Amino acid sequence: SAQAHLIQGLFLLHLLAADRIGEFHTELELVQFENLEDKYIKQPVLLERCLMEGNYNKILEAQKEVPHEYYTFFMGRLLDTVRQKVGASLERSYDALPVDYAAKMLRINNIAALQEFVVKENERKAAEEGDDPMAYMTPSLTRRMPVGLVKWEVKDGKLWFVKTADKTLEIPALDIMTNTIGYATDLERIV
């Protein structure tokens, strides 16, 4: 198809924007080597490299030069993913920081937009709180083992990261051992 590379590139960018890095790499393996230099596929590959390096400024610059207008939507989602990654680092590093510094770190233009982002981030976290942390998605900075909900608050000119009580993770060790021994026994029977 004439638009096969465009569709493949969009799908790669979608996976990247959804922070599904493992699936991104799996899909990338299906791309033929000579097609990696195609402008539609090359950009998601370069963006993934920037994301892994933590070079978020290049991701911002890439928003201005998209190879097709359809990429604009996913670039916006990728920026949200970058903000979530930066926010996850901030909440693990600080108890509070000045709102102007937080806005700068999160690449947000003003305090009102920061407040809006804080509300959305708290809603996103509350929705994920009940989810299985080892679900089908690739683990990342934004999806880790449960450590308790960190609620964000803007007050007194600072962005506060209010941590709730830590959660304990229960590992069903006996079930895992039983299944593993069962798999090994079945594998031995096959061989």
Side-chain angles (χ1 to χ4, degrees):
S1 167
Q3 297 192 351
H5 294 152
L6 171 63
I7 293 169
Q8 243 180 345
L10 285 170
F11 185 60
L12 287 170
L13 189 56
H14 157 69
L15 292 174
L16 201 57
D19 200 20
R20 293 163 50 186
I21 305 299
E23 292 173 63
F24 174 88
H25 286 280
T26 302
E27 188 67 27
L28 190 59
E29 288 179 13
L30 301 175
V31 176
Q32 295 178 356
F33 184 75
E34 59 270 7
N35 294 337
L36 289 175
E37 290 301 315
D38 182 84
K39 66 179 179 179
Y40 298 123
I41 295 174
K42 187 176 184 177
Q43 186 174 24
V45 172
L46 293 174
L47 290 170
E48 187 270 343
R49 186 173 300 138
C50 294
L51 195 61
M52 293 299 107
E53 292 172 355
N55 192 347
Y56 302 137
N57 286 330
K58 283 197 176 184
I59 293 173
L60 289 175
E61 292 171 16
Q63 277 190 304
K64 300 170 188 163
E65 299 176 22
V66 292
H68 194 279
E69 64 183 291
Y70 296 157
Y71 278 61
T72 307
F73 171 75
F74 293 108
M75 290 301 291
R77 289 191 52 211
L78 183 59
L79 181 60
D80 291 341
T81 299
V82 167
R83 283 186 178 133
Q84 288 173 4
K85 286 180 172 290
V86 171
S89 294
L90 290 175
E91 72 185 25
R92 284 174 175 77
S93 302
Y94 300 99
D95 290 327
L97 62 150
V99 288
D100 54 340
Y101 182 73
K104 180 180 177 185
M105 292 295 294
L106 292 166
R107 309 289 199 260
I108 296 176
N109 296 330
N110 57 50
I111 306 307
L114 176 65
Q115 181 66 43
E116 184 179 321
F117 179 75
V118 165
V119 170
K120 287 181 184 177
E121 185 66 7
N122 285 336
E123 289 172 356
R124 182 190 65 79
K125 287 178 174 193
E128 282 185 358
E129 183 71 7
D131 290 348
D132 179 9
M134 301 306 283
Y136 64 92
M137 293 191 210
T138 308
S140 72
L141 276 177
T142 55
R143 291 183 304 271
R144 297 165 60 110
M145 301 305 268
V147 293
L149 184 65
V150 179
K151 186 177 178 195
W152 295 17
E153 294 178 2
V154 176
K155 66 179 180 183
D156 302 327
K158 290 188 176 186
L159 174 60
W160 293 87
F161 303 108
V162 182
K163 296 167 179 65
T164 60
D166 289 348
K167 278 187 170 182
T168 57
L169 178 65
E170 295 178 20
I171 299 175
L174 185 60
D175 292 340
I176 291 172
M177 288 188 299
T178 304
N179 288 339
T180 304
I181 292 170
Y183 297 147
T185 305
D186 290 345
L187 185 60
E188 188 174 311
R189 285 185 198 145
I190 293 170
V191 174

